[in-house]
């Protein structure tokens, strides 16, 4: 029998089992414990006090912050039970125990035990047993491989670089053991994801680390935050929220991070090069960096990203290693004739559904010529449905030809794509908000949208584009910003659609439309609105008319 204690603790509760991974960010409400992912089998159920059993998690790195907030709010599961190695929720549970004395046990089961427990009603976790409906299974500590540390690593562990560095290195070593890493690796740059005021936990964590004197050792950028940092007061954001959101961002700046406030750090001039070892968080950025840039980073959970930036070190595991970048599932795509650019987020979304726990390679697209923006949309959508940190596209992404053929094969047909289109289009024809910029729009996307809106004026439909400060400055300098604003579009920096809140998100909105597969997935749970999905041109047409026809696009009929 195989049952290992990943994080020790005692718990008892009713089993809540699912065979499908869940993204805690955008999937679980930390204030209620309810599953809010409208596409997940557990939608509407509470995980509070349950023994939550799933193969692994998926989606956003921010799930660790949601986990910590659930623990601080007394709404965490009694215990987590996984079948595969899982980092994101486990890290959140680890921080809850180490820093805030709110431990949540984490157990990993073998495949046979996992299948058996999924049919059980009640589970108890003790120090040395996993008791399933009264039947005990011996619970052993997870094997801990020897971890080679440098003199500098040991100095940080000993507290010679201060208490913040000591905690950071302790957690990095614990995660290295969980990931079965034998060594740590130097990384050249970091990207912080836990800077969104999605929960109280993120603010408590960041300010606690800043008060301990934490200071990053490598160049580190900051993800999108929860407010337009310089303009939130003018936008009507309540001070009780705006001040706390700004405090969270400022805590990371105080620790030496660069105030980039973008979820697309690969659009910055500091984007990593092929083969560069980096320490990024934010799922879309990680997947893009690995897949399109051929840089190397594990999909680090929130909080671990800061610890890596404080030390410049990360566990040498996962896709830092050549062998772990190999595809393990081949997805043969029958590419529809005449497809527009919405094909790419749809392919990312369905690739994640078909390969939720392993790196895929997509074939059948060799004759296509996707732009970087298309691949950005694909990577972001893939990250909502898969736990994998990258994907390959034969003939397109740089490492796709580096590995032998894959025997495990599935296929995607036009009918499959039509199903995905319908899944992302549950809303009505009438839309009153068009949401662009999830991830943040690039300059080329801003130019394309400005061209589609040229000569028109918004009439009752709100149009909001979220961008990073770098893109905003370039769009302003060349006149693209003025062209967008002449239509009536609002271009907002710093925030992204996964962090936007009312009143910046128009309170009167009933239904929205987006060209982002990522936001089409998350928006129902995050915004409480119904959603439509389409191409950039289709969204621009809806911006002019307020209507998004329910008929399938021509290329899918």
């Amino acid at each position: 029998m195989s049952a290992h204690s990943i994080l020790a603790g005692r718990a008892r509760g009713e089993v809540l089992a699912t065979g499908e991974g869940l993204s805690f960010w955008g999937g679980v409400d930390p204030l209620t414990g309810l599953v809010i992912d409208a596409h997940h089998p557990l939608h509407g159920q509470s995980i509070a006090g349950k023994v939550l059993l799933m193969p692994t998690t998926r989606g956003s790195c921010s799930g660790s912050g949601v986990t910590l907030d659930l623990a601080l709010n007394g709404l965490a599961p009694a215990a987590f039970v996984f079948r595969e190695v899982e980092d994101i929720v486990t890290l959140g549970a680890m921080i809850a125990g180490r820093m805030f004395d709110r431990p949540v046990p984490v157990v990993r089961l073998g495949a046979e035990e996992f299948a058996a427990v999924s049919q059980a009603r009640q589970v108890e976790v003790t120090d040395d047993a996993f008791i399933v409906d009264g039947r005990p299974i011996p619970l052993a500590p997870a094997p801990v491989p020897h971890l080679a540390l440098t003199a500098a690593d040991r100095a940080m562990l000993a507290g010679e670089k201060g208490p913040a560095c000591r905690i950071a290195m302790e957690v990095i070593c614990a995660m290295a053991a969980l990931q079965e890493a034998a060594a740590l690796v130097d990384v050249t740059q970091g990207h912080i994801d836990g800077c969104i005021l999605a929960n109280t936990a993120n603010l408590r964590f960041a300010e606690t680390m800043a008060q301990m004197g934490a200071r990053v050792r490598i160049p580190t950028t900051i993800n999108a935050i929860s407010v337009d940092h310089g303009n939130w007061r003018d936008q009507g954001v309540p001070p009780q929220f705006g001040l706390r959101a700004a405090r969270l961002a400022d805590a990371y700046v105080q620790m030496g991070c660069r105030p980039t406030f973008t979820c697309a750090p690969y659009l910055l001039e500091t984007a990593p090069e092929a083969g560069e070892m980096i320490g990024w968080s934010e799922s879309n950025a990680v997947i893009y960096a690995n897949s399109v840039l051929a840089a190397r980073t594990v999909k680090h959970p929130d909080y671990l990203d800061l610890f890596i930036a404080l030390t410049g070190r990360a566990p040498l595991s996962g896709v830092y290693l050549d062998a772990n970048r190999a595809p393990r599932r081949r997805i043969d795509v029958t590419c529809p004739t005449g497809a527009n650019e919405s094909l790419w987020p749809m392919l990312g979304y369905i690739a994640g559904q078909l390969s939720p726990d392993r790196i895929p390679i997509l074939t059948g697209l060799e004759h296509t010529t996707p732009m970087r923006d298309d691949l950005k949309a694909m990577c972001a959508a893939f990250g909502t449905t898969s736990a994998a940190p990258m994907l390959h596209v034969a003939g397109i992404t740089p490492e796709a030809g580096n590995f032998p053929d894959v025997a495990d094969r599935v296929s995607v047909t036009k009918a499959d794509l039509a199903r995905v289109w319908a899944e992302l289009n549950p809303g009505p024809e009438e839309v009153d908000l068009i949401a662009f910029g999830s991830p943040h729009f690039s300059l080329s996307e801003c130019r394309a949208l400005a061209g589609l809106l040229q000569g028109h004026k918004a009439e009752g439909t709100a149009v909001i584009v979220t961008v990073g400060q770098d893109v905003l400055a370039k769009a302003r300098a060349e006149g693209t910003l003025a062209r967008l604003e002449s239509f009536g579009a609002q271009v907002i920096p710093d925030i992204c659609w996964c962090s936007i809140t009312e009143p910046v998100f128009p309170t009167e909105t009933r239904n929205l439309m987006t060209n982002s597969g990522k936001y089409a997935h998350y928006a129902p749970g995050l915004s409480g609105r119904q959603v439509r999905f389409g191409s950039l041109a289709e969204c621009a047409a809806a911006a002019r008319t307020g209507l998004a026809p329910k008929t399938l696009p021509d290329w899918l009929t």
Side-chain angles (χ1 to χ4, degrees):
M1 306 295 281
S2 177
H4 287 106
S5 174
I6 305 303
L7 292 179
R10 290 175 167 265
R12 176 183 295 177
E14 175 187 343
V15 174
L16 181 63
T18 176
E20 184 176 325
L22 174 66
S23 173
F24 271 52
W25 167 255
V28 179
D29 183 347
L31 298 180
T32 65
L34 294 176
V35 176
I36 58 173
D37 182 346
H39 303 279
H40 197 275
L42 295 182
H43 178 245
Q45 297 196 53
S46 173
I47 65 171
K50 307 290 178 59
V51 174
L52 182 59
L53 181 128
M54 65 178 71
T56 187
T57 55
R58 69 181 187 201
S60 176
C61 306
S62 297
S64 49
V66 176
T67 304
L68 175 57
D69 208 39
L70 286 164
L72 294 178
N73 294 335
L75 295 170
F80 292 101
V81 180
F82 300 112
R83 187 183 65 207
E84 312 295 336
V85 173
E86 196 285 331
D87 292 346
I88 295 174
V89 158
T90 302
L91 192 280
M94 186 183 298
I95 297 299
R98 283 175 177 260
M99 291 183 64
F100 299 100
D101 196 27
R102 297 291 184 92
V104 182
V106 178
V107 174
R108 190 188 309 151
L109 299 179
E112 180 182 343
E113 291 73 30
F114 184 90
V117 175
S118 66
Q119 304 301 315
R121 298 183 61 183
Q122 189 90 10
V123 161
E124 182 179 358
V125 182
T126 69
D127 293 335
D128 55 8
F130 188 76
I131 305 170
V132 183
D133 287 340
R135 179 176 65 91
I137 300 173
L139 186 61
V144 178
H146 173 73
L147 181 63
L149 297 175
T150 66
D153 295 334
R154 289 191 290 272
M156 286 187 275
L157 269 178
E160 294 178 17
K161 302 297 181 181
C165 247
R166 176 183 57 78
I167 288 176
M169 186 55 73
E170 287 176 351
V171 172
I172 288 170
C173 291
M175 294 300 288
L178 174 64
Q179 297 167 4
E180 300 181 353
L184 305 180
V185 63
D186 286 327
V187 295
T188 57
Q189 61 172 278
H191 183 70
I192 300 296
D193 187 47
C195 47
I196 294 173
L197 190 66
N199 46 62
T200 302
N202 280 359
L203 180 59
R204 287 185 63 181
F205 170 81
E207 291 193 332
T208 297
M209 295 303 295
Q211 289 162 6
M212 293 173 66
R215 186 82 183 175
V216 300
R217 296 164 61 92
I218 55 176
T220 302
T221 52
I222 304 179
N223 205 47
I225 58 176
S226 295
V227 291
D228 177 347
H229 195 270
N231 302 293
W232 62 265
R233 291 175 178 84
D234 296 336
Q235 294 164 348
V237 175
Q240 64 266 31
F241 180 83
L243 288 170
R244 294 170 68 245
R247 275 171 48 197
L248 174 56
D250 292 343
Y252 281 105
V253 174
Q254 180 184 335
M255 289 186 273
C257 300
R258 180 182 164 199
T260 47
F261 304 148
T262 180
C263 54
Y266 41 80
L267 298 177
L268 300 170
E269 75 283 353
T270 52
E273 298 179 354
E276 187 174 345
M277 302 289 194
I278 61 176
W280 280 12
S281 197
E282 164 49 50
S283 60
N284 100 83
V286 167
I287 295 166
Y288 188 95
N290 283 315
S291 306
V292 182
L293 302 182
R296 300 194 172 200
T297 178
V298 169
K299 192 164 81 170
H300 297 297
D302 286 10
Y303 309 146
L304 188 63
D305 51 10
L306 177 63
F307 295 154
I308 290 170
L310 296 180
T311 62
R313 303 281 277 166
L316 182 58
S317 62
V319 290
Y320 284 124
L321 303 168
D322 289 344
N324 294 335
R325 298 175 74 84
R328 293 174 50 210
R329 175 160 289 165
R330 173 171 161 170
I331 302 175
D332 296 315
V333 179
T334 301
C335 187
T337 303
N340 59 36
E341 90 282 348
S342 64
L343 169 71
W344 297 98
M346 291 169 64
L347 282 176
Y349 195 82
I350 197 170
Q353 291 178 328
L354 294 172
S355 193
D357 59 353
R358 64 197 64 190
I359 297 170
I361 182 167
L362 280 65
T363 67
L365 301 163
E366 291 84 348
H367 64 288
T368 64
T369 54
M371 306 293 287
R372 283 285 178 103
D373 293 327
D374 298 324
L375 298 177
K376 173 166 78 82
M378 169 186 256
C379 291
F382 178 74
T384 66
T385 51
S386 179
M390 66 183 299
L391 75 165
H392 301 283
V393 185
I396 295 173
T397 55
E399 296 179 73
N402 293 359
F403 306 98
D405 200 8
V406 182
D408 180 356
R409 296 187 180 186
V410 294
S411 62
V412 171
T413 66
K414 184 189 289 188
D416 296 318
L417 291 168
R419 173 189 61 78
V420 168
W421 187 91
E423 188 173 331
L424 296 177
N425 272 281
E429 289 192 347
E430 298 80 10
V431 293
D432 36 33
L433 168 65
I434 314 297
F436 294 112
S438 179
H440 275 166
F441 251 26
S442 67
L443 184 60
S444 56
E445 287 175 304
C446 290
R447 291 167 177 163
L449 179 61
L452 290 167
L453 299 178
Q454 188 81 28
H456 299 274
K457 292 285 186 182
E459 296 183 9
T461 302
V463 177
I464 297 178
V465 184
T466 61
V467 296
Q469 289 281 359
D470 184 67
V471 167
L472 179 65
K474 292 175 181 176
R476 178 182 288 114
E478 69 176 26
T480 298
L481 177 62
R483 294 168 64 202
L484 289 168
E485 290 177 339
S486 70
F487 172 82
Q490 188 177 8
V491 182
I492 305 177
D494 302 346
I495 57 178
C496 185
W497 285 99
C498 287
S499 63
I500 196 169
T501 57
E502 296 179 359
V504 179
F505 185 108
T507 55
E508 67 276 10
T509 298
R510 296 159 299 171
N511 309 302
L512 65 88
M513 187 175 188
T514 181
N515 71 328
S516 165
K518 174 180 180 176
Y519 193 55
H521 176 86
Y522 284 134
L526 290 174
S527 74
R529 273 74 169 189
Q530 295 193 75
V531 179
R532 298 298 308 281
F533 164 80
S535 68
L536 187 73
E538 290 161 348
C539 288
R544 297 191 299 266
T545 65
L547 296 173
K550 292 284 285 185
T551 53
L552 276 171
D554 291 343
W555 58 274
L556 284 177
T557 57

